[in-house]
Amino acid sequence: MASPRREQRRVGGSERIGLYTLLRLERGGLEAGLPGQFFMLDVPGHIMPRPFSICLAEKDELAFLINPVGPATRVLCELERGQKIGLFGPLGNGFRTDVKRPLLVGGGIGVAPFPYAAQVMGNPPVVLGFRTARQAEAAQLVPKAEVCIEPQLVTELIPGVPMDVLACGPEPMLHAVHALVPDAQLAWEAPMACGFGACYGCVVELDGKSRRLCVEGPVLNGRPPALPLIDDEEEEAEA
Ligand SMILES: Cc1cc2nc3c(=O)[nH]c(=O)nc-3n(C[C@H](O)[C@H](O)[C@H](O)COP(=O)(O)OP(=O)(O)OC[C@H]3O[C@@H](n4cnc5c(N)ncnc54)[C@H](O)[C@@H]3O)c2cc1C
Ligand code: FES
């Protein structure tokens, strides 16, 4: 597994994709890690870094897809080409990609790890669900994705045949996927301050015990944590 590194990198570009922003950073010698792993990104004007899944890994750049839900994510969406930011990663446990019958399942900003996963896995079948057509514009990042918009739910697109499911999305979606496919690999979220096991800010209840999600996860195999991981309801940007 790639060793995490702390580096400063320049913004190579930033583009709006529907409601989200694809932030491209110069890669230098950074390793991308496995799909589902994440980086802690420093945010100008904020003390704490924030976790983001690796979205795209090209020869010269790493890209992150950002949903502007709060103060730090809004700052990241406004960064300009040439600005420098710090990042640390890759961190956590990613998806196992050497599966026989892959199906990628994403909900909302949970699409973020799947452009890179699709690249690594040779464009397997993908189903994505969004609340609005503007959010669904992010599906263009994942080749051959089948897309639905509420009221249709992404779980309705999961075929009734055995598949090796890799999923990322809001907590209710992950629990619904787990109910349909108990051994699905599920990428969970919790508030994270350090990303490498030092602060205990990301503790969740797993198998009846307190566990750090940044160390045990974020990808967990068929082991849903007890709810809720985040106090507030999941927020998606409105504008
Ligand atoms: C492993 C991991 C990977 C992630 N990958 C991505 C990604 O690729 N793209 C992306 O846009 N976001 C991702 N997130 C979520 C992102 O880190 C948070 O949205 C961000 O930290 C919010 O910071 P803020 O200051 O903008 O908003 P805040 O004011 O901190 O929060 C705004 C709202 O988001 C909720 N929130 C805060 N932190 C999280 C969190 N970690 N997970 C879920 N909800 C949260 C709050 O409860 C609040 O409702 C990831 C989180 C984790 C743990
Ligand atoms: S984020 Fe610090 S221990 Fe997990």
Side-chain angles (χ1 to χ4, degrees):
M1 195 182 287
S3 306
R5 280 169 51 180
R6 203 179 288 277
E7 302 274 346
Q8 292 279 322
R9 286 287 175 263
R10 280 191 199 284
V11 175
S14 176
E15 66 201 77
R16 290 293 287 269
I17 302 183
L19 289 184
Y20 309 138
T21 293
L22 189 69
L23 177 65
R24 300 177 181 275
L25 301 180
E26 290 175 356
R27 179 164 176 174
L30 278 171
E31 294 198 55
L34 298 171
Q37 286 194 283
F38 65 96
F39 281 71
M40 299 299 290
L41 266 55
D42 292 343
V43 185
H46 291 256
I47 296 169
M48 310 304 291
R50 298 290 199 280
F52 295 93
S53 309
I54 180 74
C55 177
L56 279 169
E58 306 292 350
K59 187 166 162 283
D60 298 325
E61 69 177 22
L62 297 178
F64 300 89
L65 188 67
I66 301 190
N67 185 22
V69 289
T73 42
R74 282 197 280 273
V75 168
L76 291 173
C77 289
E78 297 303 322
L79 290 179
E80 292 184 358
R81 188 181 168 85
Q83 274 185 269
K84 261 190 170 179
I85 66 162
L87 71 168
F88 177 46
L91 295 163
N93 291 309
F95 291 109
R96 269 186 306 103
T97 54
D98 60 339
V99 294
K100 288 208 173 85
R101 306 150 302 180
L103 176 68
L104 310 185
V105 180
I109 189 60
V111 63
F114 291 139
Y116 180 41
Q119 182 188 348
V120 168
M121 299 171 77
N123 296 331
V126 185
V127 293
L128 299 173
F130 297 92
R131 286 195 184 140
T132 67
R134 284 201 66 207
Q135 289 170 0
E137 288 180 39
Q140 67 187 259
L141 294 169
V142 193
K144 295 191 265 180
E146 192 181 345
V147 179
C148 69
I149 294 175
E150 285 188 15
Q152 191 180 19
L153 299 176
V154 72
T155 42
E156 295 170 41
L157 301 183
I158 298 178
V161 294
M163 304 285 275
D164 298 307
V165 168
L166 288 62
C168 184
E171 288 173 23
M173 183 203 103
L174 294 180
H175 282 279
V177 171
H178 176 70
L180 286 173
V181 186
D183 63 354
Q185 301 180 61
L186 306 174
W188 299 86
E189 283 189 15
M192 292 184 182
C194 74
F196 60 94
C199 73
Y200 284 74
C202 64
V203 165
V204 299
E205 189 185 323
L206 201 55
D207 304 329
K209 295 187 182 136
S210 294
R211 300 282 186 201
R212 291 163 296 176
L213 189 67
C214 70
V215 174
E216 298 277 329
V219 177
L220 301 173
N221 256 343
R223 300 155 70 205
L227 283 172
L229 303 190
I230 306 281
D231 286 341
D232 301 337
E233 285 188 4
E234 189 222 20
E235 285 186 26
E236 288 272 355
E238 299 292 340

